[in-house]
Amino acid sequence: MDLIVREVSHRYGELRALEAVSLAVQAGETLALIGPSGCGKSTLLGIMGGLLEPSAGEVLTSGPLPEGCLNPFTYIFQDFALLPWRTVEGNVSLALEHHGLGAGERAERVASALALCGLVEFAHAFPKQLSGGMRQRVGIARAIVVRPALLFLDEPLSALDAQTRELLMEDLLAIWARERTTSIYVTHNLQEAVRLADRICVLSRRPGRVKEIVEVEVPREERANAEHARALAELQGRLWDLIRDEAAVADREMQDA
Amino acid sequence: MPETRPVAFRGGGFNPAGRRGASWIAFAAIIAAWQLSSSSGLLPALFMPSPLSVVEALARRVETGALTRHLAASLQRIALGWAVGTLGGLAIGTAMGIFAVARSIGLPVTSALFPIPKIALLPLLILWFGIGEPSKVATIALGVLFPTIISTYTAIDGVPRNLIRMGQSFGLPAAMIVWKILLPGALPGILSGFRISSSIALILVVAAEMIGAEHGIGAFILAAGNLMQTDQLVAGVVLLSLLGLAVSFGLSRLERWLLRWR
Ligand SMILES: Nc1ncnc2c1ncn2[C@@H]1O[C@H](COP(=O)(O)OP(=O)(O)OP(=O)(O)O)[C@@H](O)[C@H]1O
Ligand SMILES: [Mg+2]
C-alpha cells in the first residue's frame, strides 16, 4: 500500500514541530527518516499512522491491503511496549483478540509469527525474563501477526546494544525480504539507515521540513558485501554532512517540552 | 615491586533482606518477657493479665461458643462493608483515572470527605438506616471507599501511557484498553490499597460495635472492659491482631499469585 503525506504541519501549542512536509512512500519499500533530535520524526510517524492529528495537511493511502491484513497501520516501539503481565504468546495474541478470529486461526497465526521471529521456545516466558533483543523480537512478532500494510518503526533498535542491534537488523532484513511490508523506519543511526532503507528522507531541524531524499543505490541483499563498503561509507558521510550543523544547533537548544 | 594495600570494602548495609525466623524469635521473646513479668508479680493481673490467662480466657470463650458468635458477627460486617466500599472505590477510581470530568469532580470531593473519621458519621447513619446492621456496614463501606478510590485512581494514572498508545495503535476498542491494559497495569497499586482498606475495615468494625451492638468483637471487648475482666479484654485484642495477621497473610498469597509476572 502506498502512503502519501501532503503538506503536513504540526504544532504543539506555540511550538512548531513540522512544517509542510510532503513525501510519498511506495508499496514494498523501506523509507528511513533521519534528522537532528527533536526535529519531529516521532511526530511525523504518529501522524502517518493516525495516532496524532496533524494541525494541517493530510495523509492518504492508495492501493490494496495485503491479504489477511487486520491492522493496516502497525507500530514497533523503541521501548517495546510489551505488557509485563502477559507471556510472549499473550503479548502477540493481544493484537488479534478483538478481531473475532476463531481460536484455531488465532493460535496458528501466533505460532507462525513466533516461529518467524525465533521465539518458539520463549512462548510462555514473561517479558522480564527476556533480554532486550528478545523483547524487541516480541514487538516485531506482535506487529507482523496482524499482517500490516504499513509498518512504522520508531528507533526500534536504539534501546539495544550494538551486537544485539546487528542481529536484529539481520532479522528485520529477512522478514522484509519475505513479507515485503512497506516500512517507515525512524532512526538516529546513519549506519542503520544505510543498511536497511531503500530511500532515506532527511529532515531539517525543528520545525522539521524535508531537506533531501536520498536513494541507496546498492541493492539491499548486497550491502553486506565488502565491495560496496566504500560506496555505503561515502553515502553515510554525505548524510552526516547534511545533518551535522543542524544536529549541533539542535543539541544546544533548550527543551521546552 | 612497590608496597600494596588492600582496597577496603565499604559497600555493605542498607540492604534489608527478610531474615526468616527473626520475626518468630522476636514474638516469642516479647511474649516470654511478658509472661515472666506477670509471674514474678511485676505486672499486676488486674492491669495486665499474663499471656497464659489470656489464652485460658480465649479457650473458655471458644468452648462456650461465644467467641465464634462474636467473630462471625464481626466478619460478616467486615466482608459486606469491605466488598461494598471496594467495589464502589474501584468503579469511581477507575472513572477518575480515565475521564477528565470524573477526575475534576472526584479529586476535590475525595479530598474533602477522606479526612472525616467515618465513625463520626455513625450516629447520622444510625438515623438513616436504624441501629441494626446496615448502619455498621455503611460505616465500614464509607471508610473503605475513599482510600480505595485514591489507590485505584493513582494506580491507573501510573500505568505507562505508551502501553495505552500501543493498544490504540493495534486498534483495541476503548473497553478492551481498560480491561486488558489499564486494570491489569493498575493491579499492583490496587492490591496494596487493599492492605490499607482491610485494616481500616477492621478498625471501623470494632468502633462501630462499641457504639451499639450485641455481638461482635468490639461489643465483646467493651463488655469485658465494663466488668474489669482484663483477661477477656486482652483476649479480644489478641483476636483482632490475629485477624489482622490472617488478612495480611491472605493478601500476600493473593499478591504472589496475581503478580507472579513481576
Ligand atoms: N506531546 C508533546 N507536547 C509538546 N511538545 C512536544 C510533544 N511531543 C513532542 N514535542 C516536541 O516537539 C518536537 C518534536 O518532537 P518529536 O518527538 O517528534 O521529535 P523527534 O525527532 O522524534 O525527536 P527524537 O530524535 O528526540 O526522538 C520536540 O521539540 C519535542 O520536544
Ligand atoms: Mg522520537
Side-chain angles (χ1 to χ4, degrees):
Chain A
M1 198 158 80
D2 291 1
L3 184 81
I4 301 127
V5 177
R6 208 178 270 166
E7 294 289 317
V8 161
S9 301
H10 193 70
R11 39 173 77 232
Y12 294 104
E14 283 301 292
L15 185 105
R16 281 151 65 219
L18 290 172
E19 187 84 2
V21 172
S22 294
L23 57 92
V25 189
Q26 282 132 38
E29 81 166 333
T30 298
L31 179 86
L33 213 51
I34 64 172
S37 71
C39 75
K41 303 181 292 293
S42 301
T43 305
L44 182 56
L45 210 62
I47 291 172
M48 283 174 163
L51 286 184
L52 262 178
E53 201 174 14
S55 312
E58 55 186 355
V59 181
L60 309 164
T61 61
S62 76
L65 287 179
E67 200 184 327
C69 170
L70 290 176
N71 190 49
F73 311 103
T74 301
Y75 285 82
I76 291 176
F77 300 90
Q78 176 178 8
D79 55 8
F80 321 135
L82 303 179
L83 302 182
W85 53 88
R86 283 188 174 229
T87 60
V88 166
E89 198 176 54
N91 267 289
V92 175
S93 91
L94 176 82
L96 301 178
E97 284 164 8
H98 57 289
H99 285 293
L101 304 177
E105 189 187 352
R106 201 164 74 205
E108 213 169 277
R109 274 188 171 223
V110 171
S112 84
L114 291 184
L116 199 61
C117 296
L119 287 166
V120 174
E121 60 203 287
F122 300 101
H124 301 293
F126 286 105
K128 71 152 187 198
Q129 299 169 283
L130 303 178
S131 68
M134 278 300 160
R135 285 182 207 178
Q136 191 55 296
R137 284 192 176 90
V138 180
I140 296 172
R142 182 180 59 191
I144 61 178
V145 82
V146 295
R147 311 230 172 102
L150 280 152
L151 196 57
F152 300 106
L153 305 97
D154 194 351
E155 307 191 33
L157 308 184
S158 64
L160 307 174
D161 63 81
Q163 289 148 29
T164 313
R165 203 178 308 164
E166 200 64 36
L167 292 173
L168 258 111
M169 271 200 263
E170 282 166 22
D171 287 8
L172 279 175
L173 285 170
I175 290 169
W176 279 328
R178 260 183 66 136
E179 317 260 314
R180 300 231 141 269
T181 315
T182 317
S183 305
I184 294 124
Y185 190 104
V186 168
T187 181
H188 271 125
N189 186 320
L190 301 183
Q191 192 206 346
E192 265 172 50
V194 167
R195 259 293 278 295
L196 299 177
D198 298 302
R199 293 189 301 149
I200 300 169
C201 172
V202 184
L203 291 183
S204 71
R205 168 167 84 83
R206 196 178 69 212
R209 302 167 216 262
V210 177
K211 193 167 181 186
E212 197 163 331
I213 296 182
V214 181
E215 191 141 350
V216 187
E217 311 276 354
V218 184
R220 243 190 334 217
E221 314 75 66
E222 295 173 24
R223 289 185 198 163
N225 299 355
E227 63 198 276
H228 297 302
R230 223 184 122 154
L232 293 176
E234 260 166 29
L235 177 61
Q236 212 174 310
R238 218 179 104 209
L239 292 171
W240 178 229
D241 288 341
L242 274 174
I243 59 174
R244 184 196 157 100
D245 295 340
E246 302 207 327
V249 180
D251 191 39
R252 302 181 68 86
E253 238 159 38
M254 297 275 279
Q255 287 296 325
D256 32 13
Chain B
M1 208 171 92
E3 190 190 344
T4 61
R5 285 180 302 271
V7 175
F9 170 64
R10 47 201 174 129
F14 299 103
N15 185 18
R19 283 272 156 77
R20 279 179 167 277
S23 52
W24 292 109
I25 295 173
F27 261 120
I30 291 170
I31 292 174
W34 176 9
Q35 179 66 44
L36 268 178
S37 336
S38 290
S39 338
S40 65
L42 227 59
L43 271 179
L46 182 61
F47 296 131
M48 194 67 193
S50 74
L52 272 180
S53 58
V54 169
V55 172
E56 269 168 24
L58 262 182
R60 234 177 308 133
R61 293 282 134 180
V62 174
E63 267 165 35
T64 61
L67 197 73
T68 342
R69 208 162 53 239
H70 290 304
L71 197 59
S74 292
L75 282 180
Q76 202 179 348
R77 290 171 187 137
I78 291 177
L80 214 62
W82 186 82
V84 170
T86 297
L87 284 180
L90 285 176
I92 298 173
T94 307
M96 279 167 62
I98 300 173
F99 303 111
V101 180
R103 178 173 309 194
S104 23
I105 299 172
L107 270 184
V109 173
T110 307
S111 312
L113 299 183
F114 188 25
I116 300 174
K118 298 305 165 303
I119 200 67
L121 297 178
L122 184 60
L124 193 62
L125 293 172
I126 290 176
L127 273 179
W128 293 351
F129 298 118
I131 188 85
E133 290 304 300
S135 58
K136 296 183 188 62
V137 170
T139 309
I140 298 171
L142 273 178
V144 166
L145 179 72
F146 293 100
T148 308
I149 289 177
I150 290 177
S151 66
T152 306
Y153 152 74
T154 322
I156 291 219
D157 215 38
V159 175
R161 297 286 109 180
N162 66 329
L163 293 183
I164 299 169
R165 236 171 113 82
M166 182 276 291
Q168 291 176 325
S169 83
F170 280 99
L172 264 70
M176 289 294 114
I177 291 182
V178 173
W179 181 244
K180 291 180 179 172
I181 298 178
L182 282 179
L183 286 178
L187 195 59
I190 292 174
L191 283 178
S192 58
F194 282 3
R195 279 186 187 279
I196 296 170
S197 67
S198 61
S199 315
I200 291 181
L202 216 58
I203 292 170
L204 282 178
V205 77
V206 174
E209 285 167 350
M210 284 184 163
I211 290 185
E214 204 176 329
H215 297 300
I217 303 175
F220 171 75
I221 293 176
L222 191 69
N226 287 342
L227 299 173
M228 305 270 252
Q229 293 167 332
T230 46
D231 56 345
Q232 289 196 32
L233 192 154
V234 175
V237 172
V238 166
L239 200 62
L240 282 175
S241 161
L242 289 177
L243 211 58
L245 272 178
V247 169
S248 155
F249 177 76
L251 278 176
S252 297
R253 290 316 273 287
L254 192 69
E255 272 182 352
R256 211 173 327 147
W257 179 64
L258 283 175
L259 306 181
R260 58 192 179 284
W261 46 271
R262 288 223 286 196

